[in-house]
Every structure is written in C-alpha cells, then in structure tokens.
C-alpha cells in the first residue's frame, strides 16, 4: 500500500479547488521532457474524470519521440500560440504548475503566469520550491512528478476510474525521469505503482521502444561522433564531458530530443562517476544547455547550482550558461577539478 503524500487538509483543499474551478490550466517547464509532458497529460486526464476540461500549455516544443502519448494533439505551445495561451492563462481560475519549482523555468511563459490572479498549485520533485502557491506539494524524494501525480490520484480515490490514457503518460514520465528505472528508483513503492499501471492495459515494452528506439539515422551518427571525437575523459577525476556546437548539430540534422540520453553513455566507462554534456543552443547566441549525470553519492545537483545556474537531483541535474562554448568548457573543467576530492 502507498503512503499518502497529502495531509487530509491538503487533500480537501485540492478537491475543493478543483470542484470550484471552471477554467483550469496545466503547465510545465521549458524544454518539456517525458516527465513534464507525461505528468501534465496524466493529471489532465484525472481532471477530466472530475468533469473538467483543462488546457495544457507548455512553453515550447517537446521531443518527437513523445508524440505518441494520448491527447498530445490538445497541448498548446506557448511559443507558437502566445496570444491564445495568454488569454487562457489570464482567464484561468486555477493553474497547476507541474515538474518545476520556479516560474522562471517556464521561460517566456513566466510573465503571463506571474500576472495571473488564479490560485496556483505546484506538484514537483525538485529541491527549493519557490512559487507563490495555495498548495505546494514538493517531494524531492520522489522519482518523478509523474509518480507524484499517480500517488495523488490514488489518494483521492481516482485511480479506479483511470484508463490507459492516464497510465501510459504516467509510466512514460516515471521511466524517462529515472533513465529506464536505473536511478532515483529504489523504492519498492515505485514498482508497486508500475504494477498498478500495468492493470490498465499499457504495453511497457512498446512504451520503451517508442521513446528509446524511435530516432533517426542522423541521431545514431551523432552518438558515434560524440563518443569518437567530442568526448573528453578525465580519468584521474573519474569524470568526463563532451561538447555539441551549433555546427555539430547542424551537421547531424539535429532535432529536439536527439541529445536525449547521450549524457548517460560515458558513465558506462569503468570507474566513471560524473558525465557532463554541453550543448550550444541552435538559435540563441551564447547560450549553452548543460546536463549532468552521476552515480553513487556524487551530488551533481550541487555542481549544477554552483557552476551552471541550475539544479536538480543528486544523480541527474541540468543548467544553462550564458557564454561562449569555449568559456563553458573552461567552467566545466574548473567545476570538475574543484569537486575532485568528492569524485575520488
């Protein structure tokens, strides 16, 4: 049986907010991943079971390998439909903030969300929640926001009404935010949740293939390039990093999602404890997207906070640098060397 993550008072508050709201917006962070989109789609499905018609608004494009999830055709992209999205947010009487802990993580949507008078509810599993909410459900110990959504729906006695339209995106969110259940997923309750999702008729093997075996030839060649030409290994520090410049991405016909999972691959090297990816933005100058992955107890979230304007979890974090790619490399080297004693 699952432990409740809401107090009785929080559960009553959440239920009352849903029942009294007619215009509900569900949103997530910029560069939506499987957990961000999956938790939004799953939560929206639960809200529909309560007689609501929520609008899912996301800041920008999500990877093509998530397109298969149910109801993605109803998701509104803020960067493509700003006027419509701003109107929906302005008219909302309840806003759910899923999988982010600061409004700044919604990028261009942040101003609209800040100006909204609607009460906000946050479900998130990142450290340091900083959103003015009527209900803040922050559980950093959880594997994913999708797991949190499942637990809340379960606690509110809504799971029995759910179908595969709920179960598939929730499973996908949990799977992708744990690297296929290889980190942040040691709780027996996590696998109890999986067992329950399977009762809704989802095909977990097909979901895996949809996400991880659904790339282009160019993506496969990009992996080869990273491993052969771009990867820098620092064996004494048990760390590695690689760079993807705008020219590299253009050469390999990069589309959003093609870099997904690459940062995990250097951790296959014996003794490696930390892997960092530096990816130059394809449109914005002097913008470098940083992904960090680690094993065991190395706190890549602390490194992300100190050096990369980011944060996250113990073994999976991210950030962003506003500088040239050469400067980003120097910052990365400094970060690794300054954490050298922790890495050994």
């Amino acid at each position: 049986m699952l432990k409740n993550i809401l107090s009785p008072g929080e559960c009553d508050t959440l239920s009352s907010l849903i029942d009294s709201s007619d215009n509900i917006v569900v949103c997530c962070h910029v560069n939506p991943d499987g957990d961000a989109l999956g938790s939004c789609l799953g939560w929206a499905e639960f809200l529909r079971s309560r007689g609501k018609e929520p609008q899912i608004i996301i800041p920008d494009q999500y990877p093509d390998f998530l397109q298969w999830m149910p109801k993605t055709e109803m998701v509104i992209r803020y960067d493509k439909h700003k006027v419509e999205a701003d109107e929906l947010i302005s008219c909302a009487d309840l806003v759910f903030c899923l999988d982010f802990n600061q409004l700044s993580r919604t990028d261009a949507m942040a101003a609209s969300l800040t100006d909204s008078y609607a009460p906000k509810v946050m479900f998130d599993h990142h450290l340091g929640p900083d959103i003015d909410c009527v209900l803040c459900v922050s559980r950093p110990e959880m594997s994913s926001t999708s797991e949190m959504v499942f637990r809340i729906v379960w606690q509110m006695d809504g799971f029995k009404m759910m179908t595969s339209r709920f179960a598939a995106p929730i499973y996908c969110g949990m799977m992708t935010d744990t690297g296929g259940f290889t980190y942040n997923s040691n709780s027996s309750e996590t696998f109890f949740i999986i067992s329950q999702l399977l009762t809704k008729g989802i095909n977990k093997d097909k979901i895996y293939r949809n996400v991880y075996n659904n790339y282009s030839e160019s993506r496969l060649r990009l992996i080869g390039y990273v491993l052969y030409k771009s990867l820098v290994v620092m064996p004494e520090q048990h760390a590695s990093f690689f760079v993807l410049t705008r020219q590299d991405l253009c050469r390999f016909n990069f589309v959003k999602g093609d870099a997904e999972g690459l940062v995990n691959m250097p951790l296959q090297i014996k003794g490696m404890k930390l892997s960092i990816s530096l990816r130059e933005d394809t449109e914005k100058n002097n913008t470098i997207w940083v992904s960090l992955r680690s094993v065991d107890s190395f706190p890549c979230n602390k490194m992300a906070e100190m050096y990369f304007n980011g944060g996250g979890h113990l073994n999976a974090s991210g950030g962003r640098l506003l500088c040239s790619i050469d400067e980003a490399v120097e910052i990365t080297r400094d970060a690794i060397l300054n954490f050298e004693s922790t890495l050994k």
Side-chain angles (χ1 to χ4, degrees), residues 65-111:
F65 59 73
L66 299 176
Q67 186 69 47
W68 60 270
M69 287 198 283
K71 302 283 188 178
T72 53
E73 71 279 0
M74 299 177 67
V75 173
I76 297 170
R77 278 178 54 184
Y78 189 87
D79 62 333
K80 293 292 186 182
H81 306 283
K82 182 180 185 302
V83 174
E84 179 187 1
D86 280 340
E87 179 68 18
L88 289 169
I89 293 171
S90 175
C91 294
D93 45 27
L94 181 60
V95 174
F96 284 98
C97 302
L98 270 57
D99 202 37
F100 64 96
N101 56 0
Q102 298 176 345
L103 293 183
S104 60
R105 293 205 63 212
T106 63
D107 206 25
M109 276 177 60

Side-chain angles (χ1 to χ4, degrees), residues 5-6 14 43 123 148-156:
I5 65 171
L6 299 178
L14 179 56
W43 185 245
F123 301 157
M148 292 177 63
V149 167
F150 178 94
R151 287 171 174 270
I152 292 167
V153 170
W154 181 274
Q155 185 175 345
M156 297 180 74

Side-chain angles (χ1 to χ4, degrees), residues 150 159 163-164 166-168 170-172 174 190 192-202:
F150 178 94
F159 182 68
T163 67
S164 62
F166 170 85
I170 292 299
Y171 180 85
C172 181
M174 293 176 64
T190 298
F192 172 79
I193 292 171
I194 294 170
S195 73
Q196 295 305 303
L197 292 171
L198 290 171
T199 67
K200 300 299 181 178
I202 63 170

Side-chain angles (χ1 to χ4, degrees), residues 266-334:
L267 293 175
Q268 297 175 25
I269 300 172
K270 185 178 181 179
M272 196 61 47
K273 293 184 178 180
L274 173 68
S275 172
I276 302 175
S277 162
L278 303 173
R279 177 172 60 84
E280 194 171 19
D281 193 276
T282 55
E283 297 178 2
K284 301 174 186 175
N285 292 327
N286 293 322
T287 300
I288 312 298
W289 297 100
V290 185
S291 293
L292 304 92
R293 296 293 185 272
S294 67
V295 297
D296 298 330
S297 60
F298 181 78
C300 65
N301 54 340
K302 290 184 179 179
M303 180 181 280
E305 291 169 9
M306 291 177 62
Y307 288 92
F308 302 113
N309 305 303
H313 307 287
L314 182 73
N315 299 127
S317 300
R320 178 172 60 176
L321 292 173
L322 302 179
C323 63
S324 70
I325 195 69
D326 290 337
E327 290 171 310
V329 168
E330 290 306 310
I331 292 170
T332 301
R333 287 186 180 274
D334 287 343

Side-chain angles (χ1 to χ4, degrees), residues 111-290:
S112 186
L113 289 171
T114 300
D115 292 341
S116 170
Y117 291 105
K120 297 178 180 67
V121 174
M122 186 188 79
F123 301 157
D124 184 52
H125 70 135
H126 298 94
L127 295 169
D130 188 22
I131 299 176
D132 184 14
C133 296
V134 295
L135 179 59
C136 172
V137 187
S138 176
R139 298 292 184 273
E141 72 276 11
M142 296 289 158
S143 72
S144 57
T145 300
S146 292
E147 177 178 341
M148 292 177 63
V149 167
F150 178 94
R151 287 171 174 270
I152 292 167
V153 170
W154 181 274
Q155 185 175 345
M156 297 180 74
D157 201 29
F159 182 68
K160 60 189 175 186
M161 299 176 63
M162 296 296 96
T163 67
S164 62
R165 290 193 302 272
F166 170 85
I170 292 299
Y171 180 85
C172 181
M174 293 176 64
M175 178 187 74
T176 53
D177 235 34
T178 59
F181 303 103
T182 60
Y183 52 82
N184 294 337
S185 54
N186 271 328
S187 168
S188 60
E189 291 191 347
T190 298
F191 290 88
F192 172 79
I193 292 171
I194 294 170
S195 73
Q196 295 305 303
L197 292 171
L198 290 171
T199 67
K200 300 299 181 178
I202 63 170
N203 185 331
K204 72 174 186 62
D205 299 339
K206 186 174 182 180
I207 291 173
Y208 182 93
R209 292 196 302 273
N210 284 343
V211 172
Y212 294 115
N213 296 346
N214 199 16
Y215 292 107
S216 65
E217 176 188 343
S218 295
R219 140 83 181 198
L220 195 62
R221 296 188 182 279
L222 175 65
I223 294 174
Y225 173 80
V226 166
L227 298 179
Y228 182 62
K229 296 286 289 186
S230 183
L231 181 64
V232 176
V233 178
M234 301 173 67
E236 292 185 4
Q237 289 74 32
H238 305 284
S240 64
F241 68 89
F242 61 85
V243 170
L244 288 172
T245 66
R246 187 177 295 178
Q247 291 75 20
D248 295 333
L249 299 174
C250 181
R251 176 184 175 186
F252 291 99
N253 305 309
F254 178 83
V255 296
K256 199 161 193 177
D258 276 357
E260 191 79 19
L262 292 187
V263 69
N264 295 304
M265 299 190 74
L267 293 175
Q268 297 175 25
I269 300 172
K270 185 178 181 179
M272 196 61 47
K273 293 184 178 180
L274 173 68
S275 172
I276 302 175
S277 162
L278 303 173
R279 177 172 60 84
E280 194 171 19
D281 193 276
T282 55
E283 297 178 2
K284 301 174 186 175
N285 292 327
N286 293 322
T287 300
I288 312 298
W289 297 100
V290 185

